[in-house]
Amino acid sequence: RTFPAPATRIQYSVTLEGVLKRSSGSESDMVLSTITSVFNWLFSQIKIIYHMFLSPISGQTHKDRLESFYSHQASGYDEFRKKLLHGREDMIKSLVNGSRPLPKDAVWIDFGGGTGSNVEAMAKIGRLNDFKKVYIVDLSSSLLRVARERIAANGWKNVEAVEADATTWRPREDRVDFVTFSYSLTMIPDWFLAMDHAHKLLGTGGLIGIVDFYVSRKYPPEGLKSMSWIFRTFWQLWFAFDNVNLNPDHLPFLLSRFKKRVLDERRGPAPLVPLLQLPHYIFVGEKTN
């Protein structure tokens, strides 16, 4: 975390272009453009990895720390996270497949929705227009800036990005039909308050969908997978560097508050290190009386 920050992309691109022009002036512009694009892509990946694992996280509040972590990653966030955050599209599909018919004024809140990738996943399966209103709620202004650009580019008239706290924010509507947390629950210090708040917001029959990293309890409840001490300890320490807190009580808590519709405990390969299998789960639950 004390390594110097990488040089700017412009500096590297200009240097590369100058070398190519001097050493191979007969090369076509297409070749130069392709090499530069590849180099810039590689640079963006290195930049994100640096800010994920080496750059210090600072700030007095949770919001400040989130912005410190995400502000330099926002532009390349989605591309890199596709290889890291597994199961997001599967969670969205599980949420809508087999659910009760949505009312015409259906409302969906995506807490910790960041850049709006979940909304885009809902649009791809043709269900976004089933909602009268969709809220992307996040504390990171950098990620929400990307979300607002995505909303404008796609012309989503029923989607709004809101900078607010998942433990307290309430929509204008009286009833909420869907609430989702996609790799955000582990980054909310008072995650139990966020769960209680989501439960209160949902109407009877409303659904909650969560996909996130996790570890098991030492002695998990019946029906849940067990992990070894080494496995649990390693992943908790690994993710804690980025203030991602893997809590063994997440799944038991969810099962105590919501009627289980879907529960899938999985593993997926880590970017650049595919032999490392990241533990994550997909949960869809229903609020009942």
Side-chain angles (χ1 to χ4, degrees):
R1 290 184 174 279
T2 58
F3 288 81
T8 66
R9 180 185 305 180
I10 295 176
Q11 290 175 323
Y12 276 109
S13 299
V14 171
T15 301
L16 178 65
E17 186 174 351
V19 170
L20 285 173
K21 285 182 176 179
R22 289 195 301 270
S23 61
S24 52
S26 61
E27 294 291 331
S28 69
D29 292 340
M30 182 178 295
V31 172
L32 177 62
S33 176
T34 300
I35 294 176
T36 303
S37 297
V38 170
F39 185 86
N40 286 338
W41 174 86
L42 181 62
F43 173 85
S44 69
Q45 301 300 294
I46 294 173
K47 179 182 177 182
I48 290 174
I49 292 171
Y50 168 80
H51 285 290
M52 282 184 65
F53 301 111
L54 300 175
S55 179
I57 300 173
S58 60
Q60 296 298 314
T61 66
H62 178 51
K63 173 180 169 57
D64 292 341
R65 289 187 289 272
L66 282 177
E67 191 59 18
S68 171
F69 182 65
Y70 284 122
S71 60
H72 298 288
Q73 303 180 48
S75 59
Y77 179 92
D78 287 327
E79 182 181 356
F80 188 85
R81 292 314 197 276
K82 286 180 182 178
K83 301 183 283 290
L84 176 68
L85 307 181
H86 303 285
R88 293 181 294 175
E89 293 184 358
D90 290 339
M91 183 270 287
I92 294 298
K93 292 176 182 177
S94 297
L95 196 66
V96 297
N97 290 341
S99 66
R100 59 182 172 83
L102 292 172
K104 293 182 179 179
D105 58 347
V107 176
W108 169 27
I109 304 174
D110 189 22
F111 280 125
T115 63
S117 59
N118 284 341
V119 175
E120 187 167 80
M122 188 70 80
K124 285 181 179 178
I125 61 175
R127 298 296 300 272
L128 183 60
N129 289 331
D130 291 351
F131 296 90
K132 178 182 179 181
K133 192 68 178 182
V134 178
Y135 295 99
I136 303 170
V137 181
D138 206 289
L139 275 176
S140 171
S141 56
S142 294
L143 295 183
L144 287 176
R145 182 170 60 252
V146 177
R148 293 187 177 104
E149 292 171 356
R150 175 174 271 151
I151 292 169
N154 287 280
W156 296 330
K157 303 300 183 183
N158 59 337
V159 183
E160 180 180 346
V162 181
E163 187 172 328
D165 192 324
T167 65
T168 58
W169 183 82
R170 299 185 65 88
R172 295 181 292 272
E173 294 78 7
D174 295 328
R175 188 199 70 254
V176 175
D177 299 277
F178 283 5
V179 170
T180 50
F181 293 83
S182 177
Y183 289 96
S184 56
L185 197 59
T186 47
M187 299 195 74
I188 300 174
D190 295 327
W191 61 270
F192 46 90
L193 294 181
M195 289 294 93
D196 281 339
H197 186 55
H199 190 272
K200 293 175 183 176
L201 291 174
L202 284 169
T204 300
L207 298 181
I208 186 169
I210 300 175
V211 56
D212 215 328
F213 300 117
Y214 84 115
V215 292
S216 73
R217 287 178 175 176
K218 181 178 181 180
Y219 302 108
E222 184 178 357
L224 296 182
K225 293 183 178 181
S226 177
M227 301 177 186
S228 68
W229 174 85
I230 292 177
F231 197 83
R232 298 193 313 269
T233 303
F234 171 77
W235 286 120
Q236 284 181 309
L237 290 174
W238 173 283
F239 282 102
F241 279 109
D242 289 329
N243 290 340
V244 178
N245 301 302
L246 275 58
N247 193 308
D249 293 328
H250 280 185
L251 277 178
F253 186 87
L254 288 168
L255 289 168
S256 73
R257 301 303 302 274
F258 299 93
K259 179 181 178 181
K260 181 183 70 174
R261 286 284 197 88
V262 175
L263 175 56
D264 189 3
E265 299 177 79
R266 301 171 157 192
R267 297 185 187 182
L272 308 179
V273 193
L275 293 179
L276 281 180
Q277 296 290 302
L278 304 168
H280 62 284
Y281 68 89
I282 295 174
F283 178 86
V284 176
E286 177 184 350
K287 178 179 177 178
T288 64
N289 289 329

